[in-house]
Amino acid sequence: MAVVLFASYSCVQDTTVDLAPVISEPGLGDGAVKTLQATMPASSRTALDEKVDGKYPVSWCEGDVLAVNGKPTLGISINEEDASVAVFELPLGITIPYNIVYPYPGEDVAINAESGAYPVVFATEQMHTEGSFAPNSAPMYAWSNGFDDVHMEHLTTVLRFGIKAKAGESVDLKYVSVSTVNAEPISGLFDVYCADGGEKAQGTLEARASALSTIFYNFEGDSYVVNDSKEEFFYIAVPKGEYSRFEVNFVNQNGEVCSETFDATGDKQLLAGKVREFPVVEFVAN
């Protein structure tokens, strides 16, 4: 595989932008059905919307499922007038305190509830979504002991990469990969400590043995054409934390790789609820 270097991100200062905070409110629905009302600022989906006051809003969408004490919510009803408000129906037998994780990791995932940790999945394969990160790729968590207001917390940094072709050329990308140089885990199964005052600090993430050090960013039909006349942006969600170094590879249909590394230590570490925006680069093959 040919490796083609392009201008380092560190040559031009990258920037970090906030994701909007998320607020949830638990409550009871009509009759005997117990529900959790979850409220986010902004418009229509658990994805990035256009910046508002310098922040990227995030909001609920149809099909979102929470894990509450390890069990999946049974349905979602989004407010027709304000899609930032949704009511989730809780499964029978759920009692407080609520340990809440988004998205639901699946029924085959073992839970270490005795330690106060609940499973959360960071997607190893993320599908290109125009103007946003892939669905279910940016986990959140919360904890409630019956209080009226529950504040959901982000667990990821969203990395925004921009690329274009050289003048007079086009590039047909096959996929993009993001990896940690020292094999620190960034995808797959983790545990998050939801409770305040638990065994570990609230929001602590711990990777399970099966977790991986690479994320693959794929395109519909394994093809995405980048031209010289338009900058293309890709959003990849990565767990918060401090990492030694990352490598990003843009791979075209011929197997040529446009590769770059960037730091994630100290003041460059990946902070939850942030979008780290990198300068646009040209795909240059040699």
Side-chain angles (χ1 to χ4, degrees), residues 16-22 48 55-56 58 138-140 153-158 238-240 270-276:
T16 301
V17 180
D18 286 338
L19 284 173
V22 181
L48 298 181
K55 295 185 178 182
Y56 285 103
V58 286
M140 298 178 286
E153 300 288 347
H154 296 288
L155 289 171
T156 57
T157 294
V158 177
V238 177
K240 66 175 183 176
L270 304 185
L271 302 177
K274 303 290 185 180
V275 180
R276 187 167 169 184

Side-chain angles (χ1 to χ4, degrees), residues 28-89:
L28 292 175
D30 296 334
V33 177
K34 184 179 288 188
T35 61
L36 183 76
Q37 179 172 292
T39 305
M40 297 187 187
S43 53
S44 60
R45 53 197 176 134
T46 31
L48 298 181
D49 294 312
E50 293 297 321
K51 285 184 187 178
V52 177
D53 296 329
K55 295 185 178 182
Y56 285 103
V58 286
S59 47
W60 299 114
C61 67
E62 291 294 343
D64 281 336
V65 179
L66 305 178
V68 182
N69 296 349
K71 302 295 184 181
T73 51
L74 303 179
I76 179 175
S77 177
I78 299 176
N79 188 300
E80 293 183 359
E81 296 181 357
D82 182 0
S84 71
V85 178
V87 174
F88 294 86
E89 182 180 342

Side-chain angles (χ1 to χ4, degrees), residues 97-99 116 118 141-143 192-203:
Y98 296 141
N99 296 273
Y118 285 81
Y141 80 97
W143 182 82
V192 59
Y193 289 80
C194 296
D196 186 10
E199 178 181 317
K200 301 207 174 168
Q202 189 175 32

Side-chain angles (χ1 to χ4, degrees), residues 171-195:
V171 179
D172 189 357
L173 293 177
K174 188 172 184 179
Y175 67 89
V176 180
S177 68
V178 176
S179 304
T180 51
V181 172
N182 289 337
E184 297 129 313
I186 58 169
S187 68
L189 190 57
F190 286 63
D191 284 300
V192 59
Y193 289 80
C194 296

Side-chain angles (χ1 to χ4, degrees), residues 234-248:
F234 308 137
Y235 297 84
I236 301 175
V238 177
K240 66 175 183 176
E242 187 167 14
Y243 303 89
S244 54
R245 200 160 180 79
F246 278 86
E247 181 177 81
V248 185

